[in-house]
Amino acid sequence: FVIDHVMDPDEYHYKVNNSCFTNAAARINLLFAIEASQKIGKIPDPRWVTVSQEKHGIKIPFDEKLRYHPEYDGYTQGTLIKQASVVLLGYPLGVNMDADVRKN
């Protein structure tokens, strides 16, 4: 699942596809909605469960070779950015990742 044509937190780049921060935040919100539904005795929408899956759900850009999360689809290292939104994955979003990935 993808989210296209978004205003990334990095205001220098508009209409990007799969902003790492935006997609991670969307996934967290879906997980919250699932948990909230269950706590009040409701069955969460099955589409929320599908889209929120870590491996096959919403796309969180990741470069396996370089072991880092690019800002968005098509981002290349060294591109000038205004807001390094990927660092926000650790805090405040609390996205779990290996220490070497967080460092990169």
Side-chain angles (χ1 to χ4, degrees):
F1 297 90
V2 300
I3 302 176
D4 290 337
H5 310 291
V6 299
M7 179 71 225
D8 187 68
D10 169 20
E11 296 142 349
Y12 287 169
H13 300 94
Y14 177 60
K15 290 189 177 180
V16 300
N17 296 334
N18 295 311
S19 158
C20 194
F21 177 83
T22 301
N23 288 17
R27 180 176 183 270
I28 289 167
N29 282 304
L30 285 168
L31 292 170
F32 177 78
I34 292 165
E35 183 178 345
S37 294
Q38 293 167 337
K39 285 190 185 252
I40 63 169
K42 302 289 183 181
I43 298 172
D45 188 316
R47 295 173 297 180
W48 300 351
V49 176
T50 301
V51 175
S52 69
Q53 291 176 355
E54 189 168 338
K55 295 290 181 188
H56 303 290
I58 193 166
K59 180 181 180 182
I60 310 293
F62 185 71
D63 184 312
E64 286 285 343
K65 182 179 176 190
L66 298 176
R67 306 255 324 132
Y68 86 108
H69 288 280
E71 297 281 329
Y72 48 83
D73 281 354
Y75 173 82
T76 55
Q77 286 185 320
T79 300
L80 181 64
I81 56 174
K82 181 176 181 184
Q83 169 66 48
S85 57
V86 170
V87 301
L88 302 174
L89 295 179
Y91 182 83
L93 295 186
V95 173
N96 189 26
M97 67 183 79
D98 294 338
D100 66 315
V101 172
R102 188 171 309 281
K103 180 181 170 188
N104 290 336

